[in-house]
Amino acid sequence: MKFDTAFAPFLGLANLATVFAHGAPQPAAAIARREALVAEAAKTYSSCAKKIKSREVLERRDANTQSFVNMYLESRGLEPNFDKRVESDATCVLAPEEVEGPYYVSGQLIRDDIREEESGIDLLLDVQLLNVHTCEPLRNVLVDFWACNSTGVYGGVAAQNTVGLTFLRGIVQSDNDGVVQVLTKVPGWYTGRAQHIHVRAHVNYTIANDKLQGGTVVHTGQLYIEQSDLTEINALAPYSNNQNPFTLNSEDFIFTGEANATAGYNPYIRVTKTGETLNDGLLGKITLVLDPDTAATPVDMGFPGGNFTGPPPGGFPTSAPPAGETTNSATTTANL
Ligand SMILES: *[C@@H]1O[C@H](CO)[C@@H](O)[C@H](O)[C@H]1NC(C)=O
Ligand SMILES: *[C@@H]1O[C@H](CO)[C@@H](O)[C@H](O)[C@H]1NC(C)=O
Ligand SMILES: *[C@@H]1O[C@H](CO)[C@@H](O)[C@H](O)[C@H]1NC(C)=O
Ligand SMILES: *[C@@H]1O[C@H](CO)[C@@H](O)[C@H](O)[C@H]1NC(C)=O
């Protein structure tokens, strides 16, 4: 199969499902569940937006975020004077089933700083999890994060000679407000994919030796950053040293297959500088609405998810979306 041409029409999971149905678990059920979730979340949101946006809830959320940022600034010897209000709930982000991708590695440490020695811009990722059925915060969910470094390499991957390395991987438990805060780096990029961060939510787990044991995955997804913000970030080293072919969000076949602001699914992290310059760090905020009661079915299509050993011949697809394809820029504003 010639992947470059074969992928040209791949602008949605439905198309992927059709083409990859052979030899891989049938993802139709997962797609149906995703659509049902999106519909339910849209309905729930319209009925509970008032509660989420009540002044009390927002003020508590802001205070929580501000203390996260100020602790970080203090740890860097910077003035802990972050008092911005970042509208965390202006963007309703739904949490559909999604391609797991080839780079998930289980058994990561539960820790809230996953930067290790990686260079690049610090990203203070502040995520709130809400129950799709009730809009209530989801407490005690373990959220697994993983991403590549500024030059597009993942830790823990045989194909990249990084087995045993754990940089930019880790798991954080949500607090009583359903909030998960992790200190990571703005990811770089690799051939065929836009810059993205993977997330996976686990429930019904136990914890032993700071590691997740057992449990059920209820969501796997990917988060993105607005292109206009990335343009500013990528002009700086070490991102500017990344030699991999670059893919815009609007050219990314997973992003374009899923992002749909009209349907309420907006996977953009809203980013805001924590200090004077980008190198002082970025706060990234996003709300994920998910169903904690049903086990997720990762969409494993053999390629590009699951048992993946490298880019296909000719690289990943880089097809442009059709005219009119949403990039969601209308629903979020760049804050840089
Ligand atoms: C990204 O990770 C790889 C593997 O550890 C490493 O060789 C490379 O130098 C890292 N990139 C940067 C900018 O440090
Ligand atoms: C986005 O969602 C809306 C509402 O559900 C739907 O009508 C529209 O077809 C979707 N657009 C794409 C590109 O899938
Ligand atoms: C978690 O455990 C409870 C109690 O055993 C069970 O009812 C629920 O279905 C489980 N959740 C998932 C997503 O499996
Ligand atoms: C991936 O590998 C696992 C273990 O070797 C196997 O059980 C699974 O069926 C494979 N999946 C695909 C899509 O080939």
Side-chain angles (χ1 to χ4, degrees):
M1 181 185 288
K2 268 187 90 243
F3 283 98
D4 47 354
T5 49
F7 270 87
F10 286 178
L11 296 161
L13 277 177
N15 291 336
L16 281 168
T18 309
V19 178
F20 281 97
H22 64 279
Q26 177 53 260
I31 290 164
R33 182 168 118 79
R34 175 168 101 85
E35 283 170 1
L37 263 179
V38 168
E40 180 180 356
K43 226 166 62 197
T44 311
Y45 239 110
S46 57
S47 62
C48 72
K50 219 168 152 185
K51 181 164 73 188
I52 293 171
K53 290 179 183 166
S54 78
R55 195 197 299 185
E56 187 206 328
V57 170
L58 283 184
E59 279 176 358
R60 200 170 58 233
R61 178 100 174 89
D62 275 333
N64 192 345
T65 298
Q66 286 162 6
S67 89
F68 175 39
V69 173
N70 284 324
M71 274 167 61
Y72 163 81
L73 290 174
E74 220 160 7
S75 77
R76 291 195 53 183
L78 297 166
E79 195 62 37
N81 57 0
F82 186 88
D83 59 2
K84 286 183 196 157
R85 305 199 55 176
V86 180
E87 261 185 83
S88 56
D89 295 308
T91 316
C92 309
V93 176
L94 309 181
E97 302 301 313
E98 207 192 58
V99 180
E100 160 181 327
Y103 300 118
Y104 180 65
V105 178
S106 61
Q108 298 305 315
L109 279 173
I110 295 173
R111 53 178 184 167
D112 55 17
D113 182 351
I114 61 176
R115 295 171 299 169
E116 297 190 2
E117 305 304 317
E118 290 308 314
S119 56
I121 294 172
D122 285 340
L123 178 65
L124 288 72
L125 192 50
D126 184 308
V127 180
Q128 188 172 35
L129 307 177
L130 299 178
N131 186 323
V132 69
H133 304 299
T134 63
C135 267
E136 292 296 328
L138 287 170
R139 301 176 178 85
N140 299 327
V141 173
L142 282 186
V143 184
D144 223 322
F145 294 94
W146 70 104
C148 67
N149 72 7
S150 61
T151 46
V153 180
Y154 283 90
V157 171
Q160 304 194 322
N161 289 317
T162 57
V163 170
L165 302 182
T166 56
F167 63 82
L168 308 186
R169 293 181 184 272
I171 302 179
V172 190
Q173 189 169 38
S174 64
D175 68 11
N176 282 341
D177 289 322
V179 172
V180 169
Q181 294 170 331
V182 66
L183 195 42
T184 182
K185 292 281 179 180
V186 173
W189 64 93
Y190 50 95
T191 306
R193 290 301 319 279
Q195 285 156 280
H196 63 280
I197 295 176
H198 295 269
V199 290
R200 166 170 280 194
H202 307 260
V203 300
N204 288 355
Y205 52 82
T206 53
I207 293 176
N209 303 321
D210 285 332
K211 290 199 174 178
L212 154 74
Q213 311 285 329
T216 303
V217 173
V218 291
H219 168 66
T220 298
Q222 300 180 26
L223 310 179
Y224 301 81
I225 296 173
E226 288 275 5
Q227 207 65 59
S228 54
D229 295 334
L230 290 173
T231 301
E232 220 176 305
I233 291 164
N234 295 344
L236 303 176
Y239 302 92
S240 55
N241 302 326
N242 186 325
Q243 302 293 311
N244 297 326
F246 187 72
T247 302
L248 294 165
N249 290 329
S250 61
E251 295 168 338
D252 182 286
F253 73 118
I254 293 179
F255 179 91
T256 53
E258 303 203 334
N260 184 337
T262 315
Y265 180 52
N266 182 345
Y268 279 124
I269 300 163
R270 178 170 293 199
V271 295
T272 311
K273 280 178 195 151
T274 58
E276 292 300 310
T277 71
L278 276 174
N279 282 319
D280 289 342
L282 274 180
L283 166 67
K285 248 177 141 162
I286 192 163
T287 304
L288 295 178
V289 182
L290 53 96
D291 177 359
D293 302 324
T294 313
T297 326
V299 181
D300 176 3
M301 291 165 294
F303 176 83
N307 303 351
F308 176 73
T309 53
F316 284 96
T318 53
S319 56
E325 184 76 36
T326 176
T327 55
N328 283 354
S329 49
T331 57
T332 46
T333 41
N335 290 297
L336 294 185

